[in-house]
């Protein structure tokens, strides 16, 4: 067994975030010196035309000395995106089976802001 495999055997604490085809694994692991670090793994499922599938994984190792700067920059970047583009996932519109679902729990003020669909009147152009 490779040394890298041995280092990743010791999981101390784990959380999983499932997000559609992507799954994020957050793991606290221990080094040989019994110090802790974090791994963040993105696993993305790809389905082949024949119905078989495979996963592509990307991993980030995050060490204690980088936690503060990493957290600050991640917070700044997520705030920037949300402030400039909001929380709606625009790329969903480009999926062939996209159907926008509107939350019914929203307040009536938002519902009033959505224009009502007027009924269609059939006009014969000979009448004009």
């Amino acid at each position: 067994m490779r040394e890298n495999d041995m280092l990743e055997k010791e999981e101390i604490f784990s959380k999983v975030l499932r997000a559609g085809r992507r799954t994020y694994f957050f793991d606290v692991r221990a080094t040989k010196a019994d110090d802790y670090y974090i791994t963040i793994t993105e696993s993305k499922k790809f389905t082949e035309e024949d119905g078989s599938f495979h996963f592509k994984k990307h991993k980030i190792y995050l060490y204690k000395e980088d936690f503060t700067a990493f957290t600050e920059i991640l917070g700044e970047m997520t705030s920037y995106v949300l402030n400039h583009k909001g929380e709606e996932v625009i790329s969903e519109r480009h999926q062939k089976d996209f159907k926008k679902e509107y939350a019914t729990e929203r307040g009536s003020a938002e519902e009033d802001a959505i224009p009502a669909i007027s009924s269609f009147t059939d006009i014969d152009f000979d009448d004009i």
Side-chain angles (χ1 to χ4, degrees), residues 11-61:
E11 288 184 17
I12 309 301
F13 181 67
S14 295
K15 291 274 188 175
V16 176
L17 170 62
R18 296 191 193 322
R21 293 184 331 157
R22 294 180 308 272
T23 302
Y24 299 97
F25 299 93
F26 298 85
D27 299 300
V28 174
R29 299 179 185 271
T31 65
K32 285 183 180 180
D34 200 31
D35 202 2
Y36 290 172
Y37 64 99
I38 297 172
T39 61
I40 303 170
T41 307
E42 176 202 33
S43 179
K44 192 169 182 181
K45 184 176 182 178
F46 290 90
T47 305
E48 306 294 339
E49 290 182 15
D50 65 0
S52 65
F53 57 89
H54 68 279
F55 294 92
K56 286 189 179 178
K57 295 182 180 184
H58 304 302
K59 188 172 285 202
I60 296 172
Y61 293 85

Side-chain angles (χ1 to χ4, degrees), residues 49-92:
E49 290 182 15
D50 65 0
S52 65
F53 57 89
H54 68 279
F55 294 92
K56 286 189 179 178
K57 295 182 180 184
H58 304 302
K59 188 172 285 202
I60 296 172
Y61 293 85
L62 187 58
Y63 299 95
K64 290 189 311 187
E65 60 267 23
D66 303 322
F67 286 0
T68 301
F70 186 92
T71 302
E72 288 173 6
I73 292 172
L74 181 62
E76 184 180 345
M77 298 308 247
T78 55
S79 293
Y80 181 89
V81 170
L82 295 175
N83 289 337
H84 286 83
K85 294 296 181 181
E87 293 187 26
E88 180 185 9
V89 181
I90 296 169
S91 61
E92 288 179 346

Side-chain angles (χ1 to χ4, degrees), residues 68-121:
T68 301
F70 186 92
T71 302
E72 288 173 6
I73 292 172
L74 181 62
E76 184 180 345
M77 298 308 247
T78 55
S79 293
Y80 181 89
V81 170
L82 295 175
N83 289 337
H84 286 83
K85 294 296 181 181
E87 293 187 26
E88 180 185 9
V89 181
I90 296 169
S91 61
E92 288 179 346
R93 295 182 196 162
H94 302 289
Q95 295 176 4
K96 61 183 173 186
D97 59 347
F98 173 72
K99 292 179 186 169
K100 179 69 176 170
E101 295 179 21
Y102 293 97
T104 57
E105 297 175 19
R106 295 187 177 187
S108 60
E110 284 189 38
E111 291 171 3
D112 294 341
I114 300 172
I117 299 173
S118 60
S119 61
F120 177 77
T121 303

